[in-house]
Amino acid sequence: MSKPLTIAIDGPAASGKSTLARRLARALGYLYFDTGVLYRAVTWAALQRGLAPDDPAAMTHLARSLRIEVRPPSRDDGRSNDVWVEGQDVTWAVRAPEVDRWVSVVAAHPGVREALKAVQRRIGRQGRVVMVGRDIGTVIMPDADLKIYLDASVEERARRRYLEAQGRGETVSYARILEDLRARDRLDASRAVAPLRPAPDAVVLQSDGLTPEQVFERVMALVRQRNSAPAEQRV
Ligand code: DC
């Protein structure tokens, strides 16, 4: 088998998916696509326009009509991609705490998910892509060549987020982060459409106690293995 051309990485919030995917994409020369930014872009636009994130019809209409563009980074300010909405650069705006608070609600509307499916599938079909999300291996790219479900305990994920926030000089409490993550996990895993869960053929990686380097090395080992092993020996 040749090198996996489509790699799906799913898992809960703050499990290290983006860090892993960015490194993989760089190592393989593939496109990195974080699909969460699409849901974030819709949420950002809803808040800007004073629309209710819990209104399924309004959110579906918004997701269908909004012009969202995800492009290679235009600036060297830590971004992995540019995210533009209606001609405005919202790359950092979609990371605001207010968006964090509402994005799981927006992402739970079936109409929103349907509207955003086409763009994700189009990018997936091009191949040479590492795509990150919650339902990439189960819904968006069920035929992905390699599927990873990256998990970690909620305490470990909260600890990582807390250290990151501290590093940026933000004053947040660990307890608040833990509580927010628990709430997002609940919403992402319990929604009726495309809930967060590993695909049956995904490799589940529990990253508690592993450094980002170790996680990357394990996945690279899987990539190499798929590259060389005959089909029946693949994991
Ligand atoms: O990965 P993230 O934190 O940027 O994701 C933001 C939200 O979008 C999160 O609540 C789950 C949702 N999401 C999703 O439902 N499906 C995806 N493929 C990606 C993200």
Side-chain angles (χ1 to χ4, degrees):
M1 186 203 184
S2 58
K3 204 182 270 182
L5 290 176
T6 47
I7 302 180
I9 302 187
D10 293 300
S15 61
K17 302 183 297 292
S18 316
T19 306
L20 168 65
R22 263 195 299 266
R23 295 186 71 163
L24 277 177
R26 203 178 314 130
L28 297 167
Y30 287 8
L31 175 77
Y32 160 68
F33 182 34
D34 169 14
T35 59
V37 300
L38 300 176
Y39 297 93
R40 288 175 176 274
V42 175
T43 307
W44 175 85
L47 296 171
Q48 284 288 309
R49 297 173 186 198
L51 300 171
D54 58 357
D55 177 343
M59 291 306 105
T60 300
H61 179 72
L62 184 63
R64 282 188 189 147
S65 56
L66 209 59
R67 189 158 51 91
I68 308 170
E69 292 157 274
V70 182
R71 308 193 199 120
S74 63
R75 293 187 194 188
D76 188 15
D77 61 356
R79 63 181 65 195
S80 303
N81 288 113
D82 271 23
V83 185
W84 289 61
V85 169
E86 303 292 344
Q88 190 181 344
D89 184 351
V90 297
T91 308
W92 294 115
V94 301
R95 302 278 161 199
E98 189 63 6
V99 174
D100 274 344
R101 210 156 297 138
W102 286 106
V103 66
S104 293
V105 173
V106 173
H109 300 308
V112 170
R113 305 199 69 82
E114 196 54 42
L116 299 179
K117 202 186 267 178
V119 57
Q120 298 175 73
R121 289 213 167 138
R122 195 168 60 236
I123 292 173
R125 272 198 298 272
Q126 293 167 7
R128 300 178 61 86
V129 64
V130 184
M131 209 182 285
V132 180
R134 303 292 191 287
D135 62 343
I136 307 303
T138 49
V139 176
I140 303 296
M141 299 202 299
D143 298 330
D145 298 318
L146 176 62
K147 299 180 187 178
I148 304 291
Y149 186 88
L150 188 59
D151 209 350
S153 67
V154 70
E155 291 81 9
E156 170 76 16
R157 290 183 282 126
R159 197 181 62 82
R160 292 177 190 164
R161 276 276 153 102
Y162 176 69
L163 293 175
E164 278 167 22
Q166 271 198 328
R168 289 193 299 267
E170 292 167 18
T171 44
V172 281
S173 82
Y174 170 82
R176 177 68 203 263
I177 293 177
L178 184 65
E179 193 186 310
D180 284 354
L181 277 177
R182 283 209 170 108
R184 284 182 60 184
D185 281 0
R186 245 191 326 272
L187 276 167
D188 291 344
S190 67
R191 67 177 174 229
V193 175
L196 172 67
R197 67 173 56 122
D201 53 347
V203 177
V204 179
L205 246 173
Q206 185 70 27
S207 74
D208 286 65
L210 295 179
T211 63
E213 178 69 26
Q214 289 169 320
V215 172
F216 170 71
E217 282 307 331
R218 284 189 192 195
V219 177
M220 274 309 281
L222 289 170
V223 170
R224 282 185 216 108
Q225 194 179 326
R226 304 250 160 158
N227 206 2
S228 56
E232 66 276 12
Q233 282 175 22
R234 276 184 254 138
V235 240

